[in-house]
Amino acid sequence: MTDTAPRFPRRTALSLLGGAVVLAAAAPLRAHAREGHPTPARPGPAVAAREEHGPEGHGPHRSARVEALLARLTLDEKISLLHGATDPRPLGQAGYVPGVERLGIPSLRLADGPAGVRVTRHATALPAPVMLASAFDPDLARRYGRVIGREGRALGQDVLLSPMVNLIRTPYAGRNFETFSEDPLLTAHLVAAEIEGIQGEGLIATVKHFALNNQERDRMTVDVRVDERTLHETELRGFEAAVAAGAGAVMGAYNKVNGTYACENQALLTGVLRERWGFTGLVMTDWSAAHSTREALVAGLDLEMPDGTHFGAPLTSAVRDGGVPEAHVDRAVRRVLGVMDRFGLLDGTVPHRPDRDAAAGAAVAREVAEAGATLLRNTAGTLPLTPGGSVAVIGPTGARPLVSGGGSAHVVPEHADSPLDAVRARAARVTHALGEDVFGKPVPASALDPALDTEAQRVEAGRTWQYDGTLTVGATETWTLVLHYSGTPPLRPRVLLDGEELFPLRPGWDEYFTGGLLTHADDGLSVRRRTLTLTRGGHRLSVTARGGDTGSLFRLRRITEETRAQDVREAVRAARAARDVVLFAYEDAIEGQDRTSVALPGDQERLIEAVTAANPRTTVVLNTSSATSMPWLERTGAVLQMYYPGQEGAAATAAVLFGERDPGGRLTQTFPADDDHHPVAGDPRRYPGVDGTEHYTEGVHVGHRWYDAEGVRPLFPFGHGLSYTSFAYRDPRARWTADGLDVAFTVRNTGPREGVDVPQVYAGPSPDLPLAQPVRVLAGYRRLVLRAGEERRVTVRVERRTLSSWDPELHDWVLGTGPRTLWIGASSRDLRLRTRVRVGG
């Protein structure tokens, strides 16, 4: 059956192969249904914006206020609205766009904010978005957005540079913790809800990074080659949902897409974003992601950040020289002003800025951390822990909370308690061992000639301090030299070993992207480390430090095989003396850098093996950004994935460990067994790319779909997560309606206590589509809280879009009709019920 009444008129469609624009076919090419764009039951923000302003913010629905302002702006004033500048009263935010005072156009302040508002003042440090996603709860995502929206407004911000919606494609990507999932459907639901929350408080949300910014390695230059179908069925679904939810802004990515930089890619910025989806907001660059003036402006870019390298003086000259029509400038200004008008910034009064509600923010932060806590393993009744027992807490993140990842996600919280303190409040006897000293131990005075105390060197203001000597090593071994220092990066001490500078300034913005754990010591000093093999004998050591205007302080420490072994021995002693062990393992992810392995960094695998051998009642708590391999898994009693749990993470972790809360999270990404068995393993064309080009040859088989298609067994599948109780499913029924499927089934809590369940519905391929399709796709889900013995009949809605595929010949969505198999289960591999239904009949 053919759908002959698409909800939007057929438009010119786009083929993104090579960035070419191709006319859509005038009639269906195959005997299957064509899927139109879904329309909400009531007009959403995006629909309302199109009705008010038209698809380009012009025509009969133009804003009279915007047009009146545009007519009065000089060319210089127009261009000043199209690029960032230096803030005369900075609040530590990422960017600033000056206003035009004479016309009452206010300035805009733009702040990072994937897990809270990133300024120099205190804000609520929420759990990482990947932990929010683990709750499988769009309503919680909406409330998460409300916290950020209110605080952004309260802290003087106008635009939030979030949420990030790029899919988790590789476990190595350094910003996986900043985004949601490997799955397009789950990502789309969560980003739409979060944007509604953010913008419901009056803060402009910016969905990013458009598009295919799925790695940090070579992110500034890599050319991502992707076919049209893969693009629409995977990465673009979240962005489309963000536009439908009314996102005010879109941020272009650093990378190229099919040979053209994303920030000047007309096929993306105009063809898909404006013409197909009807986006009426503004498009900005990522920071320093512009590469041209005319090409970018014509392609659909509106705002260059953080400065005017291309959209400042060069754009002014291009307009005056006739190289760029002023109409293109007007179009971009109209879009910027249109967004400001929509959010009430042009009516002559600044919208009310609320006060921060720190208590409400903290409550949501804790709720998210508890809801996203994902129990991966639990044997022999290891968890929950018994209150009043003896517990050994081991690991550096046991005593020092790992609140967030580094870079754009870093937030300054008012407080963040340690898990050690939270455990002490519940157990009768608690001991602690570092297990791994990540900040190093003092360099022995006997190893330096002339003698030097490397622990507390102070340099007076205006002075320069110099040391030249010899570092003697007793045997050839690996050292990690750890530098602690105060002051800004240019004042970092210069340390040379055998003539090589150990801690040079990093290029570009990378120098200022710091991690959540390893880059700052307990006393606030910045930290840099360098690992190298030192041969037996003497090595020339030179240190130069400057005091600057206010004086400075530095320390030089080391981590060696000897110090690591000492840390492990102390941890083993603590483990043997306790009934239970809670071992906190970490991975410190940061913007600008990818991981090199899914294994835990440092000496942590050896630590876990030694501790579990000493006490099998060991729970490993993972404060990691993404998937982790676990060669030590079978030796543990339990494994709890807590990601980066925010400022309330200690309380949430302890509440789950001691059974005060049921672990409510489920994996939003598949955990591979090792570095050799995941979607980009062993194929450098897929990751990190060859000769600057990367090919998404996995096609539509992203994440769990790849594991199913290739028959690869993961360590833990997508959707996996355990409860402290048990659940049973029965009696599946599915019914086709004009807008999708209703899938009903019964869930019963068969265990002894209240608990959280997240049943998931998966759909098999359509027999009527002559396209390669996934073995199954996530089609829907429901988060439930059931009392012991409670039974509930659940209906999960499967959207028409989820049952559709992108046809590269039609350049449009087509419904996958015919008999289709549906599975209901607790993960993508734990499929407990099966039924069939005819779609489109």
Side-chain angles (χ1 to χ4, degrees):
M1 176 180 176
T2 302
D3 184 350
T4 57
R7 289 167 173 75
F8 288 4
R10 186 187 296 271
R11 295 188 180 96
T12 298
L14 302 171
S15 169
L16 285 154
L17 291 169
V21 178
V22 180
L23 291 176
L29 300 181
R30 301 192 178 106
H32 52 222
R34 177 180 181 273
E35 169 63 8
H37 295 279
T39 298
R42 55 184 175 83
V47 176
R50 283 194 290 273
E51 290 173 349
E52 180 181 354
H53 300 297
E56 284 289 337
H58 61 274
H61 302 292
R62 284 183 181 181
S63 162
R65 182 184 289 118
V66 168
E67 294 307 311
L69 288 172
L70 188 59
R72 298 176 63 191
L73 287 166
T74 68
L75 177 61
D76 286 342
E77 288 170 336
K78 291 176 185 177
I79 289 176
S80 73
L81 293 170
L82 303 185
H83 64 82
T86 300
D87 189 346
R89 295 183 299 278
L91 300 171
Q93 79 278 2
Y96 171 81
V97 178
V100 180
E101 186 175 356
R102 75 178 185 89
L103 296 178
I105 299 173
S107 59
L108 293 175
R109 287 186 168 89
L110 302 82
D112 289 317
V117 184
R118 184 177 183 249
V119 293
T120 52
R121 293 170 59 189
H122 289 144
T124 301
L126 292 158
V130 71
M131 191 167 202
L132 165 68
S134 299
F136 279 69
D137 187 348
D139 183 64
L140 186 58
R142 192 172 292 107
R143 287 186 284 124
Y144 182 100
R146 286 177 187 152
V147 171
I148 299 175
R150 180 187 177 102
E151 294 206 345
R153 292 286 301 149
L155 293 167
Q157 306 304 300
D158 306 291
V159 181
L160 184 77
L161 305 174
S162 185
M164 178 177 173
V165 73
N166 302 104
L167 292 184
I168 297 176
R169 176 177 178 262
T170 167
Y172 303 135
R175 299 179 80 173
N176 282 349
F177 68 96
E178 286 190 57
T179 191
F180 298 111
S181 174
E182 68 187 20
D183 188 82
L185 173 70
L186 180 61
T187 297
H189 288 175
L190 296 174
V191 72
E194 185 179 342
I195 285 172
E196 290 170 0
I198 293 166
Q199 296 193 157
E201 298 294 328
L203 191 67
I204 301 167
T206 306
V207 64
K208 64 184 186 183
H209 310 82
F210 193 59
L212 301 168
N213 184 178
N214 304 119
Q215 66 191 60
E216 294 301 280
R217 183 167 172 180
D218 303 324
R219 66 174 178 166
M220 301 287 190
T221 57
V222 67
D223 182 7
V224 178
R225 299 301 176 103
V226 62
D227 67 83
E228 179 184 340
R229 183 183 173 209
T230 296
L231 183 62
H232 280 275
E233 287 196 29
T234 61
E235 178 85 351
L236 290 191
R237 186 162 185 182
F239 287 99
E240 184 179 8
V243 170
V250 170
M251 179 187 289
Y254 283 119
N255 51 278
K256 297 175 184 175
V257 177
N258 293 325
T260 304
Y261 280 108
C263 287
E264 56 188 51
N265 193 308
Q266 190 164 9
L268 281 175
L269 302 186
T270 296
V272 171
L273 188 60
R274 303 280 185 190
E275 294 180 355
R276 172 164 285 279
W277 296 344
F279 179 64
T280 60
L282 69 92
V283 176
M284 72 177 75
T285 67
D286 204 336
W287 267 225
S288 303
H291 292 269
S292 64
T293 299
R294 183 185 184 280
E295 292 83 354
L297 188 67
V298 170
L301 183 70
D302 304 312
L303 179 63
E304 179 188 12
M305 296 302 295
D307 54 30
T309 301
H310 298 279
F311 275 22
L315 180 54
T316 303
S317 298
V319 173
R320 287 177 174 157
D321 294 344
V324 172
E326 190 167 350
H328 286 319
V329 172
D330 289 349
R331 181 181 67 178
V333 173
R334 183 177 289 114
R335 291 167 177 168
V336 173
L337 293 179
V339 173
M340 296 175 72
D341 190 25
R342 176 182 157 196
F343 283 81
L345 302 178
L346 297 180
D347 62 3
T349 60
V350 177
H352 170 71
R353 291 193 183 275
D355 294 328
R356 278 191 66 220
D357 189 340
V364 171
R366 177 162 177 176
E367 182 182 359
V368 172
E370 292 174 350
T374 307
L375 184 60
L376 300 179
R377 173 179 168 86
N378 191 21
T379 62
T382 301
L383 291 181
L385 300 177
T386 303
S390 65
V391 181
V393 175
I394 295 171
T397 50
R400 179 180 176 180
L402 181 44
V403 174
S404 66
S408 300
H410 181 69
V411 178
V412 183
E414 287 170 314
H415 74 274
D417 297 331
S418 74
L420 177 60
D421 289 339
V423 171
R424 279 175 172 156
R426 292 165 170 83
R429 186 168 64 88
V430 179
T431 58
H432 176 253
L434 267 180
E436 183 186 42
D437 187 348
V438 296
F439 296 112
K441 291 179 169 54
V443 177
S446 60
L448 294 169
D449 184 24
L452 172 67
D453 179 5
T454 63
E455 271 301 281
Q457 285 295 333
R458 296 188 180 275
V459 184
E460 298 299 323
R463 304 291 297 275
T464 298
W465 182 94
Q466 180 73 38
Y467 173 83
D468 290 291
T470 301
L471 171 66
T472 301
V473 178
T476 298
E477 61 179 336
T478 299
W479 277 44
T480 298
L481 285 164
V482 186
L483 177 69
H484 302 212
Y485 65 96
S486 63
T488 58
L491 287 179
R492 181 160 67 231
R494 191 165 184 257
V495 181
L496 281 76
L497 191 67
D498 293 331
E500 179 186 1
E501 187 170 358
L502 298 184
F503 310 105
L505 290 177
R506 296 168 181 163
W509 297 103
D510 289 351
E511 176 61 41
Y512 300 90
F513 290 150
T514 56
L517 172 70
L518 299 178
T519 55
H520 286 88
D522 291 337
D523 59 1
L525 292 187
S526 297
V527 175
R528 293 290 183 271
R529 47 183 48 78
R530 175 71 179 275
T531 300
L532 62 169
T533 299
L534 298 182
T535 57
R536 182 175 183 274
H539 298 268
R540 289 181 293 114
L541 177 66
S542 175
V543 182
T544 304
R546 292 176 292 155
D549 294 334
T550 59
S552 65
L553 171 70
F554 78 90
R555 296 186 286 261
L556 186 64
R557 293 181 172 179
R558 95 304 189 201
I559 301 171
T560 66
E561 281 300 313
E562 177 188 350
T563 66
R564 289 191 179 98
Q566 177 186 338
D567 291 338
V568 171
R569 287 193 296 270
E570 292 174 358
V572 167
R573 283 195 295 270
R576 285 177 176 156
R579 178 179 187 272
D580 293 288
V581 176
V582 181
L583 192 158
F584 287 82
Y586 72 90
E587 176 251 322
D588 198 24
I590 185 171
E591 179 179 353
Q593 299 177 29
D594 278 353
R595 304 161 73 191
T596 58
S597 172
V598 293
L600 290 170
D603 207 38
Q604 294 182 93
E605 287 191 353
R606 185 174 76 171
L607 172 65
I608 294 172
E609 289 168 356
V611 168
T612 52
N615 188 335
R617 290 186 59 82
T618 295
T619 297
V620 176
V621 177
L622 293 168
N623 291 132
T624 58
S625 69
S626 189
T628 303
S629 62
M630 305 178 198
W632 36 263
L633 178 66
E634 295 303 318
R635 303 179 185 179
T636 65
V639 177
L640 178 64
Q641 175 63 255
M642 290 300 295
Y643 297 105
Y644 301 148
Q647 68 180 47
E648 305 300 321
T653 301
V656 172
L657 288 174
F658 284 88
E660 298 162 19
R661 295 289 184 272
D662 198 48
R666 303 297 185 266
L667 290 181
T668 70
Q669 56 191 302
T670 307
F671 275 35
D674 51 43
D675 286 305
D676 297 324
H677 297 88
H678 56 76
V680 300
D683 189 346
R685 296 177 306 156
R686 288 188 183 178
Y687 175 86
V690 176
D691 297 327
T693 301
E694 184 176 44
H695 296 269
Y696 281 32
T697 54
E698 69 273 22
V700 298
H701 304 290
V702 296
H704 58 93
R705 302 178 185 181
W706 179 88
Y707 288 87
D708 289 341
E710 298 296 323
V712 174
R713 183 178 180 180
L715 180 64
F716 293 110
F718 174 89
H720 172 72
L722 304 176
S723 167
Y724 290 146
T725 186
S726 56
F727 299 91
Y729 308 153
R730 65 176 176 81
D731 193 19
R733 295 286 187 273
R735 182 174 65 91
W736 167 252
T737 71
D739 293 323
L741 290 173
D742 287 329
V743 182
F745 52 95
T746 299
V747 182
R748 180 178 178 83
N749 182 340
T750 58
R753 54 171 288 167
E754 181 179 278
V756 177
D757 190 34
V758 184
Q760 300 146 46
V761 176
Y762 293 85
S766 162
D768 295 345
L769 288 182
L771 300 168
Q773 299 170 68
V775 174
R776 63 185 63 88
V777 299
L778 179 68
Y781 53 88
R782 179 65 58 83
R783 182 180 179 86
L784 303 171
V785 179
L786 298 178
R787 298 184 304 275
E790 183 181 1
E791 183 175 280
R792 188 177 305 172
R793 189 69 178 170
V794 175
T795 298
V796 172
R797 182 70 178 166
V798 178
E799 303 160 13
R800 188 182 180 104
R801 170 62 61 84
T802 301
L803 300 168
S804 302
S805 296
W806 182 269
D807 190 315
E809 293 186 19
L810 290 175
H811 311 293
D812 212 341
W813 292 97
V814 291
L815 180 64
T817 57
R820 300 185 68 165
T821 301
L822 299 172
W823 292 267
I824 298 154
S827 77
S828 66
R829 291 295 177 97
D830 184 3
L831 303 172
R832 303 178 184 180
L833 300 178
R834 178 174 173 171
T835 188
R836 288 176 68 81
V837 65
R838 176 169 292 279
V839 171

